[in-house]
Amino acid sequence: MGWNNWNSFGCDVSENLLLSTSEQLVSLGLRDLGYQYVVLDDCWQQENGRDQNGKLQPEPSKFPNGLKSISGGLHDRGLKFGMYSSAGEMTCARYAGSLDHEIEDAESFASWGVDMLKYDSCYHMGRIGTPLISFNRFKTMSDALQATGRNILLNLCSWGEDFVHTWGMSIANSWRISGDIYDAFTRPDDLCGCDPNVLSDPYCIAPGTHCSVLFILNRVAAIADRSIPGGWNDLDMLEVGQGGMTDEEYKAHFALWAALKSPLFLGNDIRAMPAAAYSIVNNPAILALSQDPHGRSVTRVRRDTNANKDTDTIPLDEWGVGETHVWTGHLQNGDQAVIFLNAAGDDLNMSCSLAEIFTAFGPGGSAPHVRFDWAVHDLWAHRMDIDVAEAILAAGTAEERGALLRKENWYNATETPYADGLRDGDPRLFGEKVGVVEAGGVLRASVQRHAAKVFRLRRIAKDGQEFKGKSIDRGVKDEL
Ligand code: GAL
């Protein structure tokens, strides 16, 4: 979790941007919700390439005190420093790349106190086309980072090329699975390629730059289970707060990225953050899905593309019409996350049976879980009030903000890690109980157009008490 400058600033990077953003991350309580990495993306280098010793150098007008001083500033604030390079002769913005310079560049990153490297794939000199060719190209940097002795996370940014989801976990901590996200919920665009439904591009030759939230969800669906603790599918940086989507669309985007265990990098200018965006990305009940110790992604158990076929009446920017999804997954304490996504043009009533929700434990209703009653918790129920969010954003000092957050008793994961809060049943992580699904029954909810309902199902024992912090697998066996 963290922040990356690319979505909102592109090449307009500087020391001031990183340090002022990092101050804001801390004072808004975002660091203490887990947003720790501050990532400097492309365009940080000087224009004329490497210095006379072959070393990468930052552009002095952007970084007058060098990069070590940035990492020092971030570390002093309890944050971590992420940086960017490309496994090519140039970065995507045509600065010097690290291909065939991996050892000296890894040493530079380590000497600057870098904690994470986002490693792009532009200008790869043709070293692409089979999984092994790509694997070897990226492995060279992975090995070079290891050799520095510094713990540096590696994020591969090869946009899903060469089946990175099948080998990324061997050498990296996360890997992008699509072309670049853009600030649109369902709008298709020819600049986003590699459609999983189009067999003409099985090798993902043109990943592109205009990928909608819905496109990325459809792309990850078949490989969602490839995310494992320590190696994650990266759905790209968040667009929340950028202005191109509605509040409900941003809530859906954020919750799905969390439940799919994507790295969560804020992509907006958090120094000028709308209150609505702040109150989306600071929701601890949603973040607890992302940080659940079980560490497995939700998967999709249902996709319906016929929910609303009235395409004639749908404006162009609402393509993706008719599509609804149900995503679900097991959580460490035996709860079950369920997300109803309505990407159709109209509000809809959606439903899903317990038999379908628990398919992973046995198809056709054979999972023992189906024989229990489940309490339904709405994880958006305790979203921060907009006037509280506005007051925090408007507060003049970090002290005032801290006082307001404490008054709200807002979650602080630095003090209480999510794993502890979940184990102890901290109510701030469980939303609000809004109903019950009886054994063998069906979960139903009305879902607005372009929105998601996000639930945590909690098993109810025979005496009517919800189970707290107990594994369903053990619990079920005990009772059978
Ligand atoms: C793209 C990458 C973006 C951003 C950009 C910088 O390849 O997917 O996230 O890093 O390069 O030029």
Side-chain angles (χ1 to χ4, degrees):
M1 291 172 66
W3 174 85
N4 174 307
N5 67 265
W6 182 255
N7 284 356
S8 45
F9 292 94
C11 278
D12 190 11
V13 291
S14 66
E15 171 175 310
N16 178 269
L17 173 65
L18 298 187
L19 294 182
S20 56
T21 297
S22 71
E23 243 175 64
Q24 190 83 350
L25 275 176
V26 176
S27 70
L28 289 176
L30 293 170
R31 176 198 63 189
D32 290 333
L33 285 164
Y35 296 97
Q36 285 185 358
Y37 286 82
V38 173
V39 183
L40 168 58
D41 210 284
D42 206 346
C43 310
W44 56 267
Q45 292 183 43
Q46 62 182 17
E47 298 261 338
N48 42 4
R50 295 171 182 274
D51 68 11
Q52 65 276 24
N53 302 317
K55 296 271 188 193
L56 296 177
Q57 292 299 342
E59 166 56 37
S61 63
K62 295 176 178 171
F63 300 98
N65 299 302
L67 294 173
K68 179 112 180 97
S69 107
I70 304 269
S71 76
L74 296 176
H75 293 153
D76 286 349
R77 293 188 177 128
L79 294 164
K80 299 194 157 131
F81 184 29
M83 276 196 68
Y84 166 98
S85 187
S86 178
E89 65 172 333
M90 291 187 286
T91 71
C92 296
R94 303 173 64 89
Y95 292 83
S98 292
L99 189 62
D100 300 330
H101 295 272
E102 289 85 356
I103 292 175
E104 63 260 41
D105 291 357
E107 280 165 3
S108 295
F109 298 138
S111 75
W112 293 330
V114 167
D115 304 294
M116 175 196 141
L117 180 68
K118 171 176 173 178
Y119 202 37
D120 218 328
S121 196
C122 281
Y123 302 101
H124 47 58
M125 308 281 281
R127 290 192 229 168
I128 179 189
T130 71
L132 187 58
I133 295 173
S134 284
F135 174 84
N136 285 336
R137 181 162 51 95
F138 285 101
K139 184 174 186 293
T140 314
M141 179 56 90
S142 176
D143 291 345
L145 292 173
Q146 290 267 354
T148 67
R150 187 174 171 83
N151 188 11
I152 301 177
L153 294 188
L154 180 59
N155 167 251
L156 306 184
C157 184
S158 57
W159 324 293
E161 282 175 353
D162 284 344
F163 307 102
V164 61
H165 62 279
T166 64
W167 48 263
M169 64 287 285
S170 304
I171 53 169
N173 304 94
S174 55
W175 48 88
R176 284 271 300 280
I177 55 101
S178 73
D180 290 8
I181 192 171
Y182 83 143
D183 192 13
F185 195 63
T186 54
R187 186 184 175 279
D189 191 301
D190 285 344
L191 287 182
C192 177
C194 306
D195 187 333
N197 299 313
V198 177
L199 297 176
S200 58
D201 192 8
Y203 297 107
C204 186
I205 288 158
T209 52
H210 275 186
C211 299
S212 70
V213 165
L214 185 61
F215 175 92
I216 294 173
L217 290 173
N218 280 329
R219 188 152 169 76
V220 77
I223 58 170
D225 65 341
R226 297 307 174 96
S227 271
I228 50 166
W232 312 100
N233 287 319
D234 177 357
L235 277 56
D236 207 356
M237 284 102 55
L238 296 162
E239 295 284 5
V240 181
Q242 295 271 69
M245 296 189 225
T246 66
D247 192 58
E248 288 299 329
E249 290 173 339
Y250 280 141
K251 280 166 64 187
H253 165 35
F254 182 66
L256 278 153
W257 262 229
L260 275 145
K261 305 286 192 282
S262 172
L264 295 177
F265 283 101
L266 305 170
N268 61 320
D269 181 358
I270 61 164
R271 302 164 313 170
M273 194 165 190
Y278 177 49
S279 73
I280 291 175
V281 302
N282 74 3
N283 183 334
I286 301 289
L287 291 170
L289 295 181
S290 158
Q291 301 300 307
D292 189 84
H294 185 53
R296 299 309 302 254
S297 168
V298 288
T299 56
R300 189 165 67 189
V301 288
R302 188 193 290 178
R303 179 189 188 197
D304 180 355
T305 52
N306 294 309
N308 171 355
K309 283 187 142 173
D310 190 11
T311 47
D312 290 349
T313 61
I314 303 294
L316 275 186
D317 66 348
E318 292 179 10
W319 291 350
V321 165
E323 185 158 345
T324 61
H325 301 174
V326 178
W327 296 82
T328 187
H330 182 63
L331 299 166
Q332 173 81 10
N333 65 357
D335 292 354
Q336 185 81 4
V338 183
I339 301 186
F340 284 178
L341 171 70
N342 176 6
D346 287 321
D347 299 355
L348 293 171
N349 292 321
M350 291 182 63
S351 62
C352 192
S353 64
L354 291 181
E356 231 176 322
I357 289 170
F358 290 108
T359 299
F361 295 93
S366 61
H369 309 64
V370 178
R371 282 177 256 149
F372 290 90
D373 295 347
W374 294 80
V376 181
H377 288 237
D378 175 356
L379 298 185
W380 281 111
H382 295 148
R383 177 180 178 181
M384 181 180 270
D385 289 344
I386 291 294
D387 40 354
V388 173
E390 274 167 0
I392 294 172
L393 288 162
T397 64
E399 289 67 35
E400 282 172 50
R401 285 178 168 172
L404 287 166
L405 284 162
R406 275 192 300 282
K407 186 164 156 238
E408 288 299 305
N409 189 25
W410 209 250
Y411 200 77
N412 181 323
T414 309
E415 285 168 6
T416 314
Y418 289 101
D420 295 357
L422 288 166
R423 185 200 56 216
D424 299 340
D426 189 315
R428 296 171 294 183
L429 303 182
F430 291 89
E432 187 165 312
K433 182 170 167 185
V434 292
V436 170
V437 183
E438 286 177 4
V442 176
L443 174 63
R444 297 176 200 282
S446 62
V447 191
Q448 287 176 45
R449 64 175 290 280
H450 288 204
K453 282 274 164 74
V454 186
F455 300 119
R456 184 184 265 271
L457 302 191
R458 314 212 69 205
R459 186 161 67 100
I460 300 173
K462 296 256 154 58
D463 61 7
Q465 292 301 310
E466 285 169 44
F467 276 79
K468 284 214 176 100
K470 188 175 183 191
S471 156
I472 184 77
D473 305 315
R474 203 177 57 234
V476 166
K477 247 188 249 137
D478 290 344
E479 302 225 357
L480 288 178

